[in-house]
């Protein structure tokens, strides 16, 4: 049986998305593997201000993730720390709506953002780190062509313990080879 994925769309984020982000950021299960700044409570005003600023930088691109069937915002993804000199950046994703976890959406979003990074931004390399105890994310990144490059030992602190993070990356020529196959 083949699972049909919904059509994924991207849209800009803004302060009007603060309500849904507030719900996501107050759920420890959603933020467990996310940015360190998401580990602490934030007001809707703080979230709204952050959302109003994330699209105005040359070193970061962010996309709201919506699905064709509903148009509802289910998460966000993008590339941060973009270096125009080194032509590289760091991929990130958060699927905030848990009902969409485990459906292959993360892999599809990752592929689309990587394509944007290489084709539109002209990057040479995109990298990321993932908590080693987050096999779903690691699988999504592998499905999108990211390769394991190493382990950052005990580099993430969650739930009172340190966890390893997996360093992964994809180079434009590897992506082009995948795209052609």
């Amino acid at each position: 049986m083949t699972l049909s994925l919904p059509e994924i769309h991207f849209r800009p984020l803004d302060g009007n998305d603060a309500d849904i982000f507030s719900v996501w950021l107050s759920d420890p299960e959603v933020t467990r593997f996310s940015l360190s700044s998401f580990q602490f409570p934030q007001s809707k005003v703080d979230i709204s201000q952050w959302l109003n600023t994330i699209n105005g930088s040359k070193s970061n691109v962010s996309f709201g993730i919506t699905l064709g069937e509903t148009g509802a915002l289910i998460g966000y993804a993008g590339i941060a720390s973009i270096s125009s000199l080194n032509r590289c950046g760091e991929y990130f994703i958060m699927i905030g709506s848990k009902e969409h976890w485990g459906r292959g959406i993360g892999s599809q979003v990752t592929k689309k953002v990587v394509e944007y990074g290489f084709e539109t931004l002209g990057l040479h390399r995109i990298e990321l780190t993932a908590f080693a105890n987050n096999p779903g994310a690691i699988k999504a990144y592998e499905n999108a062509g990211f390769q394991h490059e190493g382990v950052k030992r005990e580099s993430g602190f969650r739930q009172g313990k340190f966890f390893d993070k997996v360093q992964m990356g994809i180079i434009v020529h590897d992506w082009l080879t995948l795209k052609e196959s």
Side-chain angles (χ1 to χ4, degrees):
M1 178 171 101
T2 304
L3 179 63
S4 173
L5 288 174
E7 189 171 345
I8 296 166
H9 300 281
F10 293 143
R11 70 162 176 81
L13 295 166
D14 61 36
N16 295 322
D17 297 313
D19 286 341
I20 188 67
F21 267 84
S22 181
V23 170
W24 297 339
L25 298 182
S26 66
D27 185 336
E29 199 174 7
V30 171
T31 62
R32 184 170 151 202
F33 299 115
S34 294
L35 293 172
S36 297
S37 62
F38 290 167
Q39 301 307 307
F40 305 101
Q42 298 176 13
S43 71
K44 284 185 188 177
V45 170
D46 291 339
I47 294 168
S48 179
Q49 289 173 343
W50 168 70
L51 287 167
N52 282 327
T53 63
I54 62 173
N55 292 319
S57 168
K58 289 183 179 181
S59 63
N60 297 300
V61 293
S62 298
F63 304 103
I65 304 165
T66 64
L67 298 181
E69 65 214 26
T70 66
L73 187 68
I74 66 155
Y76 89 119
I79 303 172
S81 303
I82 297 170
S83 168
S84 57
L85 174 64
N86 297 314
R87 293 180 44 214
C88 66
E90 184 175 359
Y91 176 72
F92 65 87
I93 184 173
M94 180 178 77
I95 305 293
S97 296
K98 293 189 285 189
E99 63 267 22
H100 298 291
W101 290 3
R103 295 177 57 196
I105 292 170
S107 293
Q108 295 303 312
V109 168
T110 301
K111 289 175 184 177
K112 288 179 102 170
V113 173
V114 165
E115 179 179 18
Y116 180 84
F118 290 139
E119 290 190 358
T120 303
L121 300 178
L123 298 179
H124 175 74
R125 171 186 168 79
I126 301 172
E127 61 187 35
L128 60 85
T129 58
F131 277 88
N133 60 329
N134 188 358
I138 292 168
K139 184 70 173 170
Y141 305 141
E142 290 169 343
N143 288 342
F146 281 82
Q147 296 180 23
H148 290 256
E149 297 178 331
V151 174
K152 297 172 70 173
R153 298 178 314 131
E154 297 185 7
S155 63
F157 188 76
R158 297 290 189 277
Q159 302 168 318
K161 299 188 303 190
F162 286 97
F163 293 93
D164 293 347
K165 287 186 175 181
V166 177
Q167 178 75 44
M168 301 177 80
I170 185 168
I171 307 295
V172 68
H173 54 79
D174 294 334
W175 174 76
L176 287 169
T177 302
L178 283 172
K179 185 178 167 184
E180 292 170 1
S181 61

